[in-house]
Amino acid sequence: MTKPLDQLRRCSVAVDVGSARTRVHIKDAGLLVDEPSVVAVNTFSGALMAVGTAAERMDGRTPAHIRVVRPVSNGTVVDIEMAQRMLRSMVGSSVRRAWRRRGAMQRAAVTIPHNADPLARSAAVETLTGVGAKQVELVDTPTAAGVGCGLPVEQPEATMILVCGATTTQIAVLSLGAIVSATTVPMGGDTIHHAVVQHLRNHHELILPSQAVRPLHLALTGGGDTSGATEVFGRDVATGMARTVIVNPDDVRAAIQAPLTGLSDAIRSVLHNCPPDLVADLADRGMVLAGGSALLPGLDERLRTGTGMPVHIADHPSLSAINGLAAMVEGHAVPLEVDVH
């Protein structure tokens, strides 16, 4: 990874464009953008109505002529034009001034999923060049997150990281600065959210607003009193009237069991494809959870039970990828030095 690190040190902008949030780090200036990857657009005029947090608040509450768009899906840009407009609006005049002072947009680094196909890689490059970058360096998200978590990814030893995003979870084993074995599972925070919403619809004939799922998430935590029922508020499927129901947290746990079981199976598959020496390293070290969905209540305990491995949650897991990419850009990520004598 020495050559890529040398290239990354010449970059002045680090960008993490995720399905949930977009983050921009400027060299020597720090993290200047951290906003939801959401845009609200007027369908009549094509004008942007809102971007980021303001657009996210509009989701599910807009009239017919306003459309809420998420230009990033599964960690890849699916609407290049809208992603470019979103980035231009997010960076604002103050960030653009920082770019101009250092000629920052001559080179930019951006995270991409480890299994991104050529089309997804091209979309990431085109998005950044569309906002002024002359050259774009691509970095695998698990590698960047591993550096951001402080893991010794450059050493000849195994480190395992799970980047838990909104729609997918990337599972990777790293050694010597590269991915040895990895896979992506279509399970993230939104998957759990939808499973809970579907359970309430099927078993209680209730449609939940997005904010009503939060009490159920809290009821799934390993600590505290989780035996008591939880009251949730929503809209009756048949009548359309507002009403509340009492939900047993054990029923919700059963509803989300299937995606979590699939995640445990994927972890075992990744380990199966690793050399035995690296698997031995992980027996005591375990895995690290990064990404915004790493803080999903009870996720670490369920993985610990399902795999028998130690599970650790990174400090500030949602910022792991951008912090790691920023460390590479700032020159804080140190490559492995090999003594050839």
Side-chain angles (χ1 to χ4, degrees), residues 165-189:
T167 56
T168 61
T169 295
Q170 299 179 61
I171 308 166
V173 174
L174 306 169
S175 180
L176 290 172
I179 294 176
V180 177
S181 176
T183 190
T184 298
V185 183
M187 200 292 293

Side-chain angles (χ1 to χ4, degrees), residues 143 272 315:
T143 303
H272 181 73
D315 295 333

Side-chain angles (χ1 to χ4, degrees), residues 11-246:
C11 296
S12 296
V13 177
V15 182
D16 178 24
V17 184
S19 302
R21 300 187 75 86
T22 293
R23 299 177 173 94
V24 179
H25 174 101
I26 304 294
K27 196 170 188 177
D28 298 330
L31 183 65
L32 299 185
V33 174
D34 186 357
E35 292 278 348
S37 303
V38 189
V39 176
V41 62
N42 187 313
T43 57
F44 293 154
S45 65
L48 291 185
M49 302 295 295
V51 174
T53 302
E56 188 175 52
R57 291 179 59 192
M58 295 182 181
D59 197 9
R61 303 170 184 269
T62 60
H65 70 283
I66 297 178
R67 184 167 60 101
V68 175
V69 179
R70 296 180 181 271
V72 184
S73 178
N74 297 333
T76 61
V77 176
V78 294
D79 188 333
I80 296 174
E81 179 185 359
M82 202 60 68
Q84 291 173 345
R85 297 177 69 184
M86 178 184 73
L87 274 174
R88 289 193 197 101
S89 179
M90 283 181 174
V91 298
S93 58
S94 61
V95 178
R96 281 196 292 270
R97 284 195 296 270
W99 285 353
R100 285 195 295 267
R101 280 197 303 270
R102 297 183 53 83
M105 285 305 286
Q106 293 300 312
R107 287 176 177 265
V110 62
T111 57
I112 56 168
H114 76 92
N115 60 344
D117 57 29
L119 186 61
R121 290 172 177 267
S122 175
V125 172
E126 188 174 344
T127 298
L128 268 293
T129 54
V131 295
K134 305 303 182 190
Q135 184 168 340
V136 179
E137 305 289 348
L138 304 178
V139 179
D140 290 336
T141 300
T143 303
V147 174
C149 293
L151 299 178
V153 298
E154 290 290 338
Q155 300 302 314
E157 55 190 57
T159 56
M160 187 173 196
I161 187 163
L162 275 66
V163 184
C164 308
T167 56
T168 61
T169 295
Q170 299 179 61
I171 308 166
V173 174
L174 306 169
S175 180
L176 290 172
I179 294 176
V180 177
S181 176
T183 190
T184 298
V185 183
M187 200 292 293
D190 289 352
T191 311
I192 300 300
H193 176 94
H194 293 153
V196 172
V197 170
Q198 195 62 41
H199 169 79
L200 269 292
R201 185 184 181 99
N202 293 341
H203 295 273
H204 298 275
E205 298 184 344
L206 194 73
I207 300 176
L208 294 183
S210 57
Q211 67 270 20
V213 181
R214 180 60 179 169
L216 290 175
H217 282 182
L218 294 176
L220 298 177
T221 56
D225 179 15
T226 59
S227 60
T230 302
E231 185 180 78
V232 294
F233 173 87
R235 190 185 76 194
D236 188 275
V237 172
T239 67
M241 301 296 290
R243 68 182 176 94
T244 60
V245 298
I246 305 300

Side-chain angles (χ1 to χ4, degrees), residues 1-9 154 176 334-337:
M1 193 170 170
T2 303
K3 182 178 178 181
L5 279 178
D6 289 340
Q7 294 173 352
L8 289 170
R9 290 192 187 102
E154 290 290 338
L176 290 172
V334 180
L336 176 66
E337 295 184 1

